């Protein structure tokens, strides 16, 4: 679905406390989470407003977001 919010807290509500703790205590997690959320917001904005962007570029953004989400989720599970 276009414009769907994929924030970590939205996608993993059962891990809210862990996500908050990692954001406060782990600089690498916080940095990756910040990049993830920026990408998610940019993708949503482009999708909702039919931004001037190529399909290849939007797919690259989505691949990067997915890779970051995998990294972040592993860290959440290991915390």
């Amino acid at each position: 679905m276009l414009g769907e919010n994929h924030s970590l807290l939205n996608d993993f509500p059962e891990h809210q406390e862990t996500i908050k703790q990692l954001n406060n205590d782990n600089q690498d997690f916080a940095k990756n989470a910040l990049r993830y959320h920026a990408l998610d917001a940019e993708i949503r904005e482009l999708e909702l407003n039919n931004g001037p962007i190529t399909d290849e570029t939007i797919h690259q953004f989505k691949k990067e977001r997915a890779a970051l989400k995998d990294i972040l989720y592993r860290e959440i599970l290991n915390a």
Side-chain angles (χ1 to χ4, degrees), residues 1-8 10-11 36-37 40 44 65:
M1 179 176 201
L2 293 179
E4 192 170 333
N5 182 349
H6 289 284
S7 73
L8 294 176
N10 189 51
D11 283 356
Y36 173 84
H37 289 289
D40 186 51
R44 237 182 332 191
R65 178 180 66 182

Side-chain angles (χ1 to χ4, degrees), residues 1-2 8 14-15 18 23 26 30 39 47 51-52 55 61 63 73-74 78:
M1 179 176 201
L2 293 179
L8 294 176
E14 68 278 12
H15 296 291
T18 302
N23 266 319
N26 184 322
L39 271 172
E47 287 177 340
D55 285 345
F61 285 170
K63 284 181 187 177
Y73 187 63
R74 279 194 299 270
N78 289 329

Side-chain angles (χ1 to χ4, degrees), residues 1-77:
M1 179 176 201
L2 293 179
E4 192 170 333
N5 182 349
H6 289 284
S7 73
L8 294 176
L9 293 176
N10 189 51
D11 283 356
F12 306 120
E14 68 278 12
H15 296 291
Q16 284 187 10
E17 290 305 315
T18 302
I19 292 167
K20 290 176 186 177
Q21 180 183 1
L22 285 167
N23 266 319
N24 289 329
D25 299 342
N26 184 322
Q27 285 184 342
D28 289 332
F29 182 91
K31 179 181 165 188
N32 284 334
L34 188 63
R35 176 65 182 147
Y36 173 84
H37 289 289
L39 271 172
D40 186 51
E42 186 171 1
I43 291 166
R44 237 182 332 191
E45 181 72 22
L46 290 167
E47 287 177 340
L48 292 173
N49 296 319
N50 287 327
I53 191 166
T54 64
D55 285 345
E56 183 178 322
T57 302
I58 195 83
H59 289 298
Q60 187 59 40
F61 285 170
K62 288 181 178 183
K63 284 181 187 177
E64 184 179 350
R65 178 180 66 182
L68 282 169
K69 189 174 198 174
D70 287 344
I71 290 167
L72 293 165
Y73 187 63
R74 279 194 299 270
E75 289 187 51
I76 290 166
L77 292 180

